[in-house]
Short mmCIF file of all heavy atoms in Angstrom, two decimals:
data_model
loop_
_atom_site.label_atom_id
_atom_site.label_comp_id
_atom_site.label_asym_id
_atom_site.label_seq_id
_atom_site.Cartn_x
_atom_site.Cartn_y
_atom_site.Cartn_z
N TRP A 1 22.93 -28.26 3.71
CA TRP A 1 22.01 -28.57 4.74
C TRP A 1 20.89 -29.35 4.19
O TRP A 1 20.36 -29.07 3.14
CB TRP A 1 21.48 -27.26 5.50
CG TRP A 1 22.56 -26.56 6.17
CD1 TRP A 1 23.38 -25.55 5.63
CD2 TRP A 1 22.98 -26.75 7.45
NE1 TRP A 1 24.25 -25.01 6.59
CE2 TRP A 1 23.99 -25.77 7.75
CE3 TRP A 1 22.67 -27.49 8.54
CZ2 TRP A 1 24.71 -25.66 9.00
CZ3 TRP A 1 23.33 -27.48 9.81
CH2 TRP A 1 24.35 -26.55 10.00
N TYR A 2 20.41 -30.29 5.01
CA TYR A 2 19.21 -31.09 4.75
C TYR A 2 18.38 -31.03 6.07
O TYR A 2 18.97 -30.58 7.13
CB TYR A 2 19.52 -32.48 4.48
CG TYR A 2 20.15 -32.78 3.13
CD1 TYR A 2 21.50 -32.43 2.90
CD2 TYR A 2 19.43 -33.41 2.03
CE1 TYR A 2 22.03 -32.72 1.65
CE2 TYR A 2 19.92 -33.59 0.82
CZ TYR A 2 21.30 -33.25 0.61
OH TYR A 2 21.91 -33.50 -0.61
N ARG A 3 17.13 -31.37 6.02
CA ARG A 3 16.30 -31.47 7.11
C ARG A 3 15.38 -32.64 7.07
O ARG A 3 14.92 -33.01 5.94
CB ARG A 3 15.59 -30.12 7.37
CG ARG A 3 14.43 -29.83 6.35
CD ARG A 3 13.98 -28.43 6.54
NE ARG A 3 12.89 -28.10 5.53
CZ ARG A 3 12.35 -26.95 5.50
NH1 ARG A 3 12.67 -25.92 6.28
NH2 ARG A 3 11.38 -26.68 4.60
N GLN A 4 14.97 -33.04 8.27
CA GLN A 4 13.98 -34.16 8.33
C GLN A 4 12.94 -33.80 9.46
O GLN A 4 13.29 -33.71 10.62
CB GLN A 4 14.69 -35.49 8.58
CG GLN A 4 13.76 -36.68 8.56
CD GLN A 4 14.49 -37.96 8.43
OE1 GLN A 4 15.67 -38.03 8.86
NE2 GLN A 4 13.77 -39.02 8.12
N ALA A 5 11.72 -33.67 9.00
CA ALA A 5 10.60 -33.44 10.02
C ALA A 5 10.12 -34.81 10.50
O ALA A 5 10.15 -35.85 9.71
CB ALA A 5 9.58 -32.56 9.33
N PRO A 6 9.40 -34.79 11.52
CA PRO A 6 8.84 -36.07 12.09
C PRO A 6 7.84 -36.68 11.05
O PRO A 6 7.00 -36.08 10.42
CB PRO A 6 8.06 -35.63 13.32
CG PRO A 6 8.69 -34.43 13.82
CD PRO A 6 9.19 -33.71 12.49
N GLY A 7 8.01 -38.01 10.75
CA GLY A 7 7.29 -38.72 9.88
C GLY A 7 7.46 -38.47 8.39
O GLY A 7 6.74 -38.93 7.60
N LYS A 8 8.53 -37.65 8.08
CA LYS A 8 8.79 -37.29 6.69
C LYS A 8 10.29 -37.67 6.32
O LYS A 8 11.03 -37.94 7.02
CB LYS A 8 8.65 -35.75 6.45
CG LYS A 8 7.21 -35.31 6.71
CD LYS A 8 7.06 -33.82 6.27
CE LYS A 8 5.69 -33.38 6.30
NZ LYS A 8 5.51 -31.99 5.95
N GLN A 9 10.48 -37.68 5.02
CA GLN A 9 11.77 -38.13 4.54
C GLN A 9 12.70 -36.91 4.56
O GLN A 9 12.18 -35.76 4.66
CB GLN A 9 11.66 -38.53 3.05
CG GLN A 9 11.04 -39.90 2.82
CD GLN A 9 11.11 -40.34 1.42
OE1 GLN A 9 11.16 -39.53 0.42
NE2 GLN A 9 11.31 -41.70 1.24
N ARG A 10 13.93 -37.19 4.69
CA ARG A 10 14.98 -36.14 4.68
C ARG A 10 14.87 -35.34 3.43
O ARG A 10 14.80 -35.97 2.33
CB ARG A 10 16.31 -36.67 4.92
CG ARG A 10 17.43 -35.68 5.19
CD ARG A 10 18.71 -36.33 5.56
NE ARG A 10 18.66 -37.12 6.80
CZ ARG A 10 19.68 -37.68 7.46
NH1 ARG A 10 20.93 -37.51 6.90
NH2 ARG A 10 19.52 -38.35 8.46
N GLU A 11 14.99 -34.01 3.41
CA GLU A 11 14.86 -33.22 2.24
C GLU A 11 16.08 -32.28 2.21
O GLU A 11 16.51 -31.69 3.28
CB GLU A 11 13.55 -32.49 2.16
CG GLU A 11 13.36 -31.49 3.31
CD GLU A 11 12.02 -30.69 3.09
OE1 GLU A 11 11.31 -31.05 2.17
OE2 GLU A 11 11.78 -29.75 3.92
N PHE A 12 16.39 -31.87 1.00
CA PHE A 12 17.44 -30.88 0.72
C PHE A 12 16.93 -29.47 1.08
O PHE A 12 15.83 -29.17 0.85
CB PHE A 12 17.83 -30.94 -0.82
CG PHE A 12 18.62 -29.82 -1.26
CD1 PHE A 12 20.07 -29.76 -1.03
CD2 PHE A 12 18.07 -28.83 -2.02
CE1 PHE A 12 20.77 -28.72 -1.45
CE2 PHE A 12 18.84 -27.69 -2.46
CZ PHE A 12 20.11 -27.68 -2.24
N VAL A 13 17.86 -28.79 1.65
CA VAL A 13 17.53 -27.36 2.02
C VAL A 13 18.41 -26.32 1.17
O VAL A 13 17.81 -25.47 0.57
CB VAL A 13 17.80 -27.09 3.55
CG1 VAL A 13 17.51 -25.70 3.80
CG2 VAL A 13 16.86 -27.97 4.35
N ALA A 14 19.77 -26.50 1.27
CA ALA A 14 20.61 -25.57 0.56
C ALA A 14 21.97 -26.16 0.46
O ALA A 14 22.37 -27.03 1.27
CB ALA A 14 20.57 -24.25 1.22
N ARG A 15 22.76 -25.71 -0.54
CA ARG A 15 24.13 -26.16 -0.68
C ARG A 15 24.94 -25.04 -1.22
O ARG A 15 24.42 -24.17 -1.85
CB ARG A 15 24.20 -27.34 -1.61
CG ARG A 15 24.14 -27.07 -2.97
CD ARG A 15 24.39 -28.38 -3.90
NE ARG A 15 24.70 -28.09 -5.17
CZ ARG A 15 25.04 -29.01 -6.02
NH1 ARG A 15 25.16 -30.35 -5.65
NH2 ARG A 15 25.24 -28.73 -7.41
N ILE A 16 26.25 -25.18 -0.96
CA ILE A 16 27.18 -24.02 -1.43
C ILE A 16 28.53 -24.75 -1.73
O ILE A 16 28.90 -25.70 -1.10
CB ILE A 16 27.38 -23.03 -0.39
CG1 ILE A 16 28.32 -21.88 -0.94
CG2 ILE A 16 28.01 -23.63 0.90
CD1 ILE A 16 28.15 -20.66 0.15
N ASP A 17 29.21 -24.35 -2.85
CA ASP A 17 30.53 -24.82 -3.18
C ASP A 17 31.59 -23.88 -2.65
O ASP A 17 31.36 -22.79 -2.22
CB ASP A 17 30.63 -25.25 -4.58
CG ASP A 17 30.55 -24.08 -5.61
OD1 ASP A 17 30.70 -22.90 -5.11
OD2 ASP A 17 30.44 -24.39 -6.79
N ARG A 18 32.85 -24.21 -2.96
CA ARG A 18 33.94 -23.43 -2.45
C ARG A 18 34.02 -22.08 -3.19
O ARG A 18 34.63 -21.15 -2.72
CB ARG A 18 35.30 -24.20 -2.62
CG ARG A 18 35.47 -25.28 -1.62
CD ARG A 18 36.81 -25.95 -1.62
NE ARG A 18 37.86 -24.92 -1.45
CZ ARG A 18 38.32 -24.58 -0.34
NH1 ARG A 18 37.83 -25.16 0.83
NH2 ARG A 18 39.31 -23.64 -0.15
N GLY A 19 33.33 -21.97 -4.38
CA GLY A 19 33.32 -20.84 -5.11
C GLY A 19 32.04 -19.91 -4.70
O GLY A 19 31.83 -18.99 -5.48
N ASP A 20 31.37 -20.38 -3.72
CA ASP A 20 30.16 -19.63 -3.24
C ASP A 20 28.98 -19.72 -4.22
O ASP A 20 28.02 -18.91 -4.09
CB ASP A 20 30.49 -18.22 -2.98
CG ASP A 20 31.38 -18.02 -1.67
OD1 ASP A 20 31.31 -18.95 -0.82
OD2 ASP A 20 32.02 -17.01 -1.60
N MET A 21 28.99 -20.76 -5.06
CA MET A 21 27.75 -21.06 -5.86
C MET A 21 26.75 -21.76 -4.93
O MET A 21 27.13 -22.61 -4.24
CB MET A 21 28.12 -21.91 -7.07
CG MET A 21 26.95 -22.17 -7.97
SD MET A 21 26.67 -20.90 -9.13
CE MET A 21 28.08 -20.96 -10.14
N THR A 22 25.56 -21.22 -4.94
CA THR A 22 24.50 -21.71 -4.13
C THR A 22 23.24 -22.30 -4.71
O THR A 22 22.98 -21.87 -5.84
CB THR A 22 24.06 -20.62 -3.06
OG1 THR A 22 23.45 -19.54 -3.84
CG2 THR A 22 25.12 -20.03 -2.25
N ASN A 23 22.64 -23.18 -4.06
CA ASN A 23 21.25 -23.69 -4.51
C ASN A 23 20.36 -23.77 -3.31
O ASN A 23 20.91 -24.13 -2.24
CB ASN A 23 21.39 -25.06 -5.16
CG ASN A 23 22.26 -25.03 -6.48
OD1 ASN A 23 23.46 -25.36 -6.38
ND2 ASN A 23 21.63 -24.67 -7.54
N TYR A 24 19.13 -23.51 -3.47
CA TYR A 24 18.14 -23.67 -2.40
C TYR A 24 16.91 -24.39 -2.80
O TYR A 24 16.53 -24.44 -3.86
CB TYR A 24 17.65 -22.21 -2.04
CG TYR A 24 18.73 -21.28 -1.45
CD1 TYR A 24 19.47 -20.50 -2.23
CD2 TYR A 24 18.96 -21.32 -0.08
CE1 TYR A 24 20.45 -19.66 -1.76
CE2 TYR A 24 19.96 -20.52 0.46
CZ TYR A 24 20.62 -19.68 -0.35
OH TYR A 24 21.66 -18.86 0.09
N ALA A 25 16.28 -25.09 -1.86
CA ALA A 25 14.94 -25.64 -2.01
C ALA A 25 14.00 -24.54 -2.18
O ALA A 25 14.10 -23.42 -1.62
CB ALA A 25 14.59 -26.46 -0.89
N ASP A 26 12.95 -24.69 -2.98
CA ASP A 26 11.93 -23.69 -3.22
C ASP A 26 11.28 -23.14 -1.98
O ASP A 26 10.90 -22.11 -1.88
CB ASP A 26 10.87 -24.18 -4.35
CG ASP A 26 11.36 -24.23 -5.68
OD1 ASP A 26 12.45 -23.64 -5.98
OD2 ASP A 26 10.82 -24.96 -6.53
N SER A 27 11.14 -24.05 -1.07
CA SER A 27 10.40 -23.82 0.20
C SER A 27 11.21 -22.84 1.13
O SER A 27 10.57 -22.21 1.97
CB SER A 27 10.12 -25.03 0.93
OG SER A 27 11.34 -25.70 1.24
N VAL A 28 12.50 -22.60 0.86
CA VAL A 28 13.24 -21.74 1.70
C VAL A 28 13.81 -20.54 0.96
O VAL A 28 14.39 -19.69 1.62
CB VAL A 28 14.33 -22.56 2.48
CG1 VAL A 28 13.88 -23.69 3.15
CG2 VAL A 28 15.45 -22.89 1.46
N LYS A 29 13.68 -20.53 -0.33
CA LYS A 29 14.21 -19.31 -1.11
C LYS A 29 13.61 -18.00 -0.61
O LYS A 29 12.41 -17.93 -0.30
CB LYS A 29 13.86 -19.50 -2.56
CG LYS A 29 14.72 -20.49 -3.28
CD LYS A 29 14.35 -20.56 -4.80
CE LYS A 29 15.18 -21.55 -5.48
NZ LYS A 29 14.87 -21.75 -6.93
N GLY A 30 14.45 -17.07 -0.39
CA GLY A 30 14.10 -15.79 0.02
C GLY A 30 14.04 -15.60 1.56
O GLY A 30 14.02 -14.48 2.12
N ARG A 31 14.16 -16.76 2.25
CA ARG A 31 14.10 -16.68 3.74
C ARG A 31 15.43 -17.36 4.34
O ARG A 31 15.80 -16.77 5.37
CB ARG A 31 12.93 -17.67 4.28
CG ARG A 31 11.63 -17.20 3.70
CD ARG A 31 10.43 -17.92 4.48
NE ARG A 31 10.54 -19.32 4.16
CZ ARG A 31 10.67 -20.28 5.06
NH1 ARG A 31 10.66 -19.95 6.42
NH2 ARG A 31 10.74 -21.55 4.82
N PHE A 32 16.02 -18.29 3.75
CA PHE A 32 17.22 -18.83 4.22
C PHE A 32 18.43 -18.42 3.38
O PHE A 32 18.30 -18.24 2.14
CB PHE A 32 17.18 -20.36 4.22
CG PHE A 32 16.25 -20.98 5.19
CD1 PHE A 32 15.31 -20.17 5.98
CD2 PHE A 32 16.19 -22.30 5.40
CE1 PHE A 32 14.42 -20.77 6.74
CE2 PHE A 32 15.37 -22.88 6.29
CZ PHE A 32 14.50 -22.17 7.01
N THR A 33 19.59 -18.15 4.04
CA THR A 33 20.77 -17.86 3.30
C THR A 33 21.98 -18.77 3.72
O THR A 33 22.17 -18.92 4.89
CB THR A 33 21.20 -16.46 3.53
OG1 THR A 33 20.21 -15.55 3.04
CG2 THR A 33 22.45 -16.09 2.69
N ILE A 34 22.62 -19.43 2.78
CA ILE A 34 23.70 -20.35 3.10
C ILE A 34 25.02 -19.57 2.80
O ILE A 34 25.12 -18.84 1.72
CB ILE A 34 23.64 -21.65 2.28
CG1 ILE A 34 24.78 -22.62 2.87
CG2 ILE A 34 23.71 -21.44 0.91
CD1 ILE A 34 24.54 -24.06 2.37
N SER A 35 26.02 -19.72 3.62
CA SER A 35 27.31 -19.02 3.42
C SER A 35 28.40 -19.99 4.01
O SER A 35 28.05 -20.85 4.77
CB SER A 35 27.32 -17.62 3.96
OG SER A 35 27.19 -17.66 5.34
N ARG A 36 29.64 -19.56 3.54
CA ARG A 36 30.65 -20.46 4.19
C ARG A 36 31.94 -19.50 4.39
O ARG A 36 32.10 -18.58 3.65
CB ARG A 36 31.02 -21.68 3.26
CG ARG A 36 31.51 -21.37 1.93
CD ARG A 36 31.63 -22.61 1.14
NE ARG A 36 32.72 -23.66 1.56
CZ ARG A 36 32.84 -24.81 1.03
NH1 ARG A 36 31.93 -25.32 0.18
NH2 ARG A 36 33.81 -25.61 1.46
N ASP A 37 32.73 -20.05 5.29
CA ASP A 37 34.01 -19.34 5.49
C ASP A 37 35.04 -20.50 5.23
O ASP A 37 35.27 -21.38 6.07
CB ASP A 37 34.11 -19.00 6.99
CG ASP A 37 35.49 -18.24 7.35
OD1 ASP A 37 36.46 -18.44 6.67
OD2 ASP A 37 35.46 -17.42 8.18
N ASN A 38 35.66 -20.48 4.06
CA ASN A 38 36.63 -21.51 3.69
C ASN A 38 37.88 -21.56 4.62
O ASN A 38 38.36 -22.67 4.84
CB ASN A 38 37.13 -21.34 2.26
CG ASN A 38 35.91 -21.53 1.25
OD1 ASN A 38 35.04 -22.29 1.49
ND2 ASN A 38 35.91 -20.77 0.17
N ALA A 39 38.21 -20.48 5.18
CA ALA A 39 39.40 -20.55 6.05
C ALA A 39 39.09 -21.28 7.35
O ALA A 39 39.97 -21.84 7.97
CB ALA A 39 39.87 -19.03 6.38
N LYS A 40 37.84 -21.31 7.69
CA LYS A 40 37.44 -21.98 8.92
C LYS A 40 36.79 -23.29 8.57
O LYS A 40 36.27 -24.04 9.52
CB LYS A 40 36.48 -21.18 9.74
CG LYS A 40 37.10 -19.84 10.29
CD LYS A 40 36.04 -19.05 11.12
CE LYS A 40 36.71 -17.80 11.64
NZ LYS A 40 35.69 -16.95 12.40
N ASN A 41 36.62 -23.75 7.33
CA ASN A 41 35.92 -24.94 6.95
C ASN A 41 34.55 -24.97 7.52
O ASN A 41 34.07 -26.04 8.05
CB ASN A 41 36.75 -26.16 7.34
CG ASN A 41 38.10 -26.26 6.64
OD1 ASN A 41 38.16 -25.95 5.53
ND2 ASN A 41 39.05 -26.75 7.36
N THR A 42 33.87 -23.90 7.58
CA THR A 42 32.58 -23.68 8.19
C THR A 42 31.54 -23.26 7.26
O THR A 42 31.76 -22.36 6.49
CB THR A 42 32.70 -22.77 9.53
OG1 THR A 42 33.61 -23.32 10.40
CG2 THR A 42 31.34 -22.61 10.13
N VAL A 43 30.39 -23.85 7.39
CA VAL A 43 29.18 -23.47 6.60
C VAL A 43 28.07 -22.88 7.53
O VAL A 43 27.98 -23.38 8.66
CB VAL A 43 28.77 -24.55 5.74
CG1 VAL A 43 28.07 -25.65 6.55
CG2 VAL A 43 27.58 -23.98 4.76
#
């Protein structure tokens, strides 16, 4: 996931790979959780 606020550049939020390895932007750590269902190809 990325996000873009009005008047700002698009920024990274979080990512996950098929092995459930995750990375987060510092601004959302502890508040946002990324997950995926590989059987449904859904994040």
